[in-house]
Amino acid sequence: MLWLKALHVVFAVTWFAGLFYLPRLFVYHVATHDAPGLARFIVMERRLYFIMSLGALLTVLLGAAMMVAAPAYLAMGWLRAKLLLVAVLAGYHGWCYHLMLRLRAAANRHSQRWYRLFNEVPGLLLLAIVILAVVKP
């Protein structure tokens, strides 16, 4: 179980690193107007999205393996709340994909300021998820 938990945390860190950096790339992408710069951001966003998606997949699979190994945890309210927040995080991840495709197609509807605010969401989710997992209120 400890190996599963350790790897779960490692891949969660990978996932969150991507979720923190991808919207920051969106901020820079929106501010860029030259063709080579835009092409560079498209490549960077696509590569980062792949890496963070791999982190997300492994985080979820290892979390599921821990629940299979210790199904009694599912009865605990803190874990159900954490799983709900992870579902919200997965939705945010999907929203990032949608935004990435819109930027790639030059169909962006948002300002740099909007992306800066959007970039704060994973930090709030991280705070809540870690508190639930460590403190278990």
Side-chain angles (χ1 to χ4, degrees), residues 67-123:
M67 287 187 290
V68 168
Y73 278 106
L74 285 171
M76 298 179 183
W78 68 267
L79 181 58
R80 289 195 306 267
K82 178 187 169 203
L83 293 174
L84 177 65
L85 291 176
V86 170
V88 171
L89 191 66
Y92 181 88
H93 185 110
W95 195 2
C96 283
Y97 182 72
H98 172 75
L99 293 169
M100 183 180 70
L101 293 180
R102 292 194 64 83
L103 285 164
R104 183 183 305 168
N108 176 49
R109 296 182 184 167
H110 303 292
S111 67
Q112 287 181 48
R113 179 172 163 71
W114 187 89
Y115 284 111
R116 289 177 197 278
L117 292 171
F118 181 75
N119 193 34
E120 300 303 321
V121 173

Side-chain angles (χ1 to χ4, degrees), residues 12 14 23 30 36 44-45 50 52 55 57 72 75 82 102 106 116 130 133:
T14 302
V30 169
M44 290 172 67
E45 291 161 0
F50 174 77
M52 72 184 220
L57 176 65
K82 178 187 169 203
R102 292 194 64 83
R116 289 177 197 278
V130 169

Side-chain angles (χ1 to χ4, degrees), residues 14-101:
T14 302
W15 186 14
F16 270 102
L19 289 173
F20 288 142
Y21 191 51
L22 186 62
R24 179 56 52 183
L25 287 177
F26 294 163
V27 170
Y28 302 142
H29 188 143
V30 169
T32 302
H33 301 291
D34 62 294
L38 292 170
R40 188 176 321 110
F41 280 112
I42 288 169
V43 170
M44 290 172 67
E45 291 161 0
R46 185 186 73 238
R47 288 178 179 170
L48 179 58
Y49 192 83
F50 174 77
I51 292 166
M52 72 184 220
S53 295
L54 184 59
L57 176 65
L58 291 170
T59 298
V60 170
L61 289 175
L62 290 161
M66 286 189 293
M67 287 187 290
V68 168
Y73 278 106
L74 285 171
M76 298 179 183
W78 68 267
L79 181 58
R80 289 195 306 267
K82 178 187 169 203
L83 293 174
L84 177 65
L85 291 176
V86 170
V88 171
L89 191 66
Y92 181 88
H93 185 110
W95 195 2
C96 283
Y97 182 72
H98 172 75
L99 293 169
M100 183 180 70
L101 293 180

